[in-house]
Amino acid sequence: TAKDIKVHIPELKWKYAQKTFPYFNGHGTAETVAHGAQIMMAFELHSAKVNGDLVPRLALARSQVVIEKLVLSFKESSFSWLYNTMGYLFQESVRDYVVSSLDSALKANIASLLTPLNRYLHPYWPVVLSNVAI
């Protein structure tokens, strides 16, 4: 678990264009700060068949992403006042969307962590397996 993470993005560039009537569009920057973030990952040991042999593998058992507070401050747009008001009114929904997206990205990309980790652990599996049952 990584706790009490603070992420500050001073100049997040954004833009949008609505492709149907009334054809709204906009662009600008936003300062973004996430406070009290946590990333929890729990791994499990299981056996997998590789080239016909059963070999131990670490896998992601569960993960959780938490952000206590997410602050967005829009700038460099003639409608910054509107975006800031809407951002304030919907800050919990925006935070929940960011948390959900981060958790999905973590799960989708976990192989880039586990593949080299399982390769590195290969010579140590006999010691590990003598202490646990799978």
Side-chain angles (χ1 to χ4, degrees):
T1 301
K3 295 181 180 181
D4 201 27
I5 301 168
K6 180 180 179 183
V7 179
H8 178 227
I9 304 171
E11 194 171 318
L12 177 69
K13 295 183 182 190
W14 60 269
K15 71 177 181 176
Y16 71 91
Q18 186 173 336
K19 296 184 181 202
T20 59
F21 185 79
Y23 304 107
F24 290 120
N25 64 71
H27 61 87
T29 62
E31 180 177 7
T32 307
V33 183
H35 300 274
Q38 297 180 34
I39 300 172
M40 186 278 299
M41 293 186 291
F43 300 99
E44 62 186 1
L45 184 61
H46 67 95
S47 56
K49 206 171 235 187
V50 176
N51 297 328
D53 296 324
L54 282 177
V55 295
R57 289 284 185 244
L58 283 178
L60 184 67
R62 65 184 181 279
S63 65
Q64 182 180 17
V65 177
V66 174
I67 297 176
E68 288 179 10
K69 186 175 182 181
L70 182 68
V71 178
L72 292 169
S73 178
F74 293 91
K75 314 180 250 190
E76 298 181 15
S77 169
S78 55
F79 290 107
S80 291
W81 63 272
L82 177 62
Y83 301 140
N84 285 320
T85 301
M86 298 302 283
Y88 176 77
L89 291 173
F90 294 102
Q91 65 185 343
E92 289 183 19
S93 297
V94 172
R95 182 200 63 210
D96 292 346
Y97 176 79
V98 170
V99 165
S100 175
S101 296
L102 288 172
D103 194 47
S104 294
L106 175 71
K107 289 173 182 166
N109 293 289
I110 195 66
S112 63
L113 169 67
L114 290 177
T115 300
L117 186 58
N118 279 315
R119 191 176 313 122
Y120 175 78
L121 289 172
H122 180 75
Y124 304 101
W125 284 130
V127 174
V128 172
L129 293 176
S130 69
N131 292 300
V132 298
I134 60 168

